[in-house]
Amino acid sequence: MPGTIKQIAQMAGVSRGTVDRVLNKRGRVDSQVALRVEQIAEELGYLTRTQRKAGARQGLSGLGCQKRIGVVTQLSGASFMIEVRRGIEEIARKLAFQGIDVVLKECPDVDKDMQLKRIDELVEEGIDGLAIMPVDCAAIALRLNQLIREKGIPVITFNTDIVGVEKTAFVGLDNRKSGRAAAGLLAMMMQGKGSVLGIVGNFSNSAGMQRIDGFTEELKKSFPGMTLIGIQPSSDRTAQVASIITQTLSAFPDLGGILQISGGQAGIRQAFAELDGRLRPHVVMYDATPKNAALLKEGMADFIIDQDGYTQGYRTISLLADKLRWDREPDKEYMYTDINIRTRYTC
């Protein structure tokens, strides 16, 4: 027997009204609560009235719905992808019992040619929907719009977004807003004065550049006493992060802060080992991975801004599954995950 709203409410620790709002898209609910309710509903096999009617029209009971969702990522070796992948794998296991296959194609770098190849592989294998962390370029946008317009394949972007694509939705961090939050955190520690270094993975990663945009906007607006002396690409490599910081400290010994957006965060530890007793710059970085949490606990950084990669992976596939099974649209185009700020005491 499928679960009931009462059972879902008890397991989620919320009211039946909250469950009803989440499952029937009738009002705003905290994103973490909504995700928990959706997960429990899926585990119990609960179907809303709309879903039951849609299934009856299509001759489906859930298990008979044979669909395939393709997933294309980038930066597969980056630490933040651990949580993204965990979310994808968990929802994939649940959907497998409902007749929906999830096929993951990973790209190790921000490489448009590799990403185009992965998209073509999925299309050749046959997919009904596509979830993608897109490289923001004209070639990817053109290919995605072809899938949407000519093949009727719905596309949801996650983690990174792309302009000019008729996507169903985006799931991920409000990167520009998180960049403004990073500026506020550094300004608080630096008392609104001093020089700051920004480190990104590479300039073709739209998420990283949006964070830099938000950061610089907030500095200009609220903290004119702070100066961004440069933005350096690290290719997400530890050695390169260490080299950038060491060289910058040599040229700017009074460097007050570092905004670390790229991977290779362990390079911070390597660079600070050469400070010879001098006070280190304040550091704000991204993604609450175990290695980054260790940097906080060692006193090598001050704050982590976490983008909730698990929710990005899980919810993106869940939304596509709803679109394919029930033709249910997301309740909004941009579904932002929470901006979680961690300290050494909360990691």
Side-chain angles (χ1 to χ4, degrees), residues 15 50 64 123 150 191 227 236:
S15 69
T50 301
V123 173
E150 299 174 13
Q191 299 182 341
T227 303
D236 297 297

Side-chain angles (χ1 to χ4, degrees), residues 164-176:
V165 172
E166 298 171 11
K167 60 184 180 289
T168 297
F170 165 76
V171 180
L173 195 67
D174 184 336
N175 288 297
R176 192 177 295 269

Side-chain angles (χ1 to χ4, degrees), residues 310-326:
Y310 172 86
T311 297
Q312 292 181 26
Y314 190 103
R315 174 157 287 185
T316 300
I317 310 305
S318 180
L319 289 171
L320 265 177
D322 285 350
K323 172 68 176 175
L324 296 177
R325 289 180 295 185
W326 324 117

Side-chain angles (χ1 to χ4, degrees), residues 10-29:
Q10 289 174 338
M11 293 176 67
V14 298
S15 69
R16 282 179 283 184
T18 298
V19 174
D20 179 75
R21 289 197 298 277
V22 171
L23 298 182
N24 292 289
K25 309 296 183 184
R26 288 177 175 159
R28 295 195 64 181
V29 178

